[in-house]
């Protein structure tokens, strides 16, 4: 066994010809869209929605709302933990790449956006379920998320990550349907109106162990706030176009995946609690199988347990204890 964990990164273009690889985490938004008889139409329409939203937000010097094109790159992260060279799939994230058609310039977007993690599937779909089996009150283990958090921070601080990406990742996902959010007076020209909540959701706490803070913003013309998880300064570290790349990408996926919240016909008010039971919303013309997605999370959590957590249990415990002591 290697004394330290070594990461490798592979990338593939996400376009209308995209086919998930054998190693792709099947619960990812993009893999779900790329299957079935509607796959190519799904992909084409999704990319068009992203481009339209990008040009809507980047409206300056853009009178026809067609100045920018957005290309997406799927980044797959693997961990080399075995001296024989065996790689274990860990994480998949997205990175928008922006083309300014007026100047010909290519602009890097922010790595992150969507966040798919095999270990997180294991934590939430296997470990948490086992911990609460035959208990009267729901709870989480005291060390819940510790290993995943340290592994993620180790990756972001690794030479492998820093050689390819100059800025820390930003993850953008849905707000929690179990919490209430209150609109503040703070407003950003791109991120929009900031919302706050009184307590962390379990997801917020999990991301905190990954070294990420959270802020909630509802961009202009949006129906609901998004949760932005970041390292450093969300408002100061990234340009307007970088932030627009993340918003346009992830708001599109949320409209498809959670239309009850992000494609609602009425926008969030001063006090807002998201609800998947909301009936006043519009559907996109994109096919998405949410039931399949939830079932696959359990399957892939068990896959991670069988091929990673159990076989390397002692190595992982030793590495986590050493890293936690740093």
């Amino acid at each position: 066994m290697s004394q330290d964990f070594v990461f490798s990164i592979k990338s593939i273009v996400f376009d209308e010809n995209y086919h998930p690889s054998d190693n792709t985490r099947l619960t990812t938004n993009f893999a779900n869209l790329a299957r079935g008889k509607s796959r190519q139409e799904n992909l084409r329409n999704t990319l068009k929605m992203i481009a339209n939203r990008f040009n809507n937000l980047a409206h300056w010097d853009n009178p026809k709302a067609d100045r920018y094109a957005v290309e997406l790159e799927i980044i797959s992260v693997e961990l080399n933990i075995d001296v024989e060279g065996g790689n274990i799939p860990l994480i998949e994230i997205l990175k928008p790449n922006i083309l300014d058609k007026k100047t010909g310039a290519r602009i890097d977007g922010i790595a992150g956006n969507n966040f798919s993690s095999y270990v997180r599937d294991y934590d939430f779909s296997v470990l948490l379920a086992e911990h609460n089996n035959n208990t009267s009150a729901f709870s989480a283990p005291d060390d819940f998320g510790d290993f995943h958090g340290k592994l993620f921070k180790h990756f972001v601080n690794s030479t492998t990550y820093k050689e390819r990406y100059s800025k820390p990742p930003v993850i953008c996902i849905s707000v929690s349907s179990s919490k209430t959010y209150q609109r503040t007076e703070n407003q950003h020209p791109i991120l929009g109106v900031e919302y706050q909540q009184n307590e962390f959701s379990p997801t917020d706490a999990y991301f905190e162990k990954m070294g990420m803070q959270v802020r909630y913003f509802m961009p202009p013309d949006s129906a609901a706030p998004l949760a932005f998880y970041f390292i450093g300064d969300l408002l100061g570290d990234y340009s307007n176009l970088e932030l627009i790349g993340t918003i346009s990408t992830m708001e599109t996926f949320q409209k498809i995946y959670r239309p009850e919240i992000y494609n609602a016909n009425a926008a969030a008010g001063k006090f807002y609690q998201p609800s998947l039971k909301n009936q006043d919303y519009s559907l996109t013309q994109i096919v998405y199988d949410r039931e399949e997605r939830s079932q696959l999370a359990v399957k892939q959590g068990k896959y991670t347990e069988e091929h990673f957590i159990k076989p390397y249990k002692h190595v992982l415990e030793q590495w986590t204890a050493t890293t936690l002591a740093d």
Side-chain angles (χ1 to χ4, degrees), residues 111-239:
N113 297 269
N114 188 85
F115 181 68
S116 300
S117 165
Y118 282 89
V119 177
R120 185 174 68 166
D121 272 351
Y122 164 75
D123 279 347
F124 279 94
S125 299
V126 179
L127 180 64
L128 204 57
E130 291 177 353
H131 178 78
N132 285 280
N133 189 32
N134 297 323
T135 60
S136 57
F138 181 86
S139 66
D142 291 338
D143 61 352
F144 184 70
D146 285 354
F147 170 63
H148 181 270
K150 290 296 178 181
L151 193 62
F152 180 79
K153 287 191 282 188
H154 195 57
F155 166 63
V156 171
N157 290 322
S158 69
T159 302
T160 303
Y161 180 89
K162 292 182 176 179
E163 283 179 347
R164 294 184 65 144
Y165 311 110
S166 61
K167 296 183 180 182
V170 174
I171 310 299
C172 180
I173 63 175
S174 171
V175 286
S176 172
S177 58
S178 67
K179 303 300 177 186
T180 299
Y181 300 82
Q182 182 176 354
R183 189 170 61 212
T184 72
E185 296 302 316
N186 191 37
Q187 187 165 351
H188 184 272
I190 300 301
L191 292 168
V193 178
E194 184 166 20
Y195 278 72
Q196 292 181 345
Q197 62 168 335
N198 292 330
E199 61 178 350
F200 271 2
S201 69
T203 299
D204 296 337
Y206 196 79
F207 274 89
E208 185 181 39
K209 291 193 174 184
M210 294 161 57
M212 306 191 89
Q213 308 170 59
V214 62
R215 293 178 76 170
Y216 315 95
F217 285 93
M218 186 165 77
D221 302 319
S222 295
L226 292 159
F228 294 86
Y229 296 91
F230 60 95
I231 300 166
D233 181 359
L234 178 66
L235 275 61
D237 291 345
Y238 305 96
S239 70

Side-chain angles (χ1 to χ4, degrees), residues 236-257:
D237 291 345
Y238 305 96
S239 70
N240 285 343
L241 291 181
E242 287 174 325
L243 292 173
I244 291 172
T246 290
I247 294 167
S248 59
T249 299
M250 295 314 299
E251 189 178 79
T252 294
F253 279 121
Q254 294 299 344
K255 284 182 176 181
I256 298 165
Y257 173 47

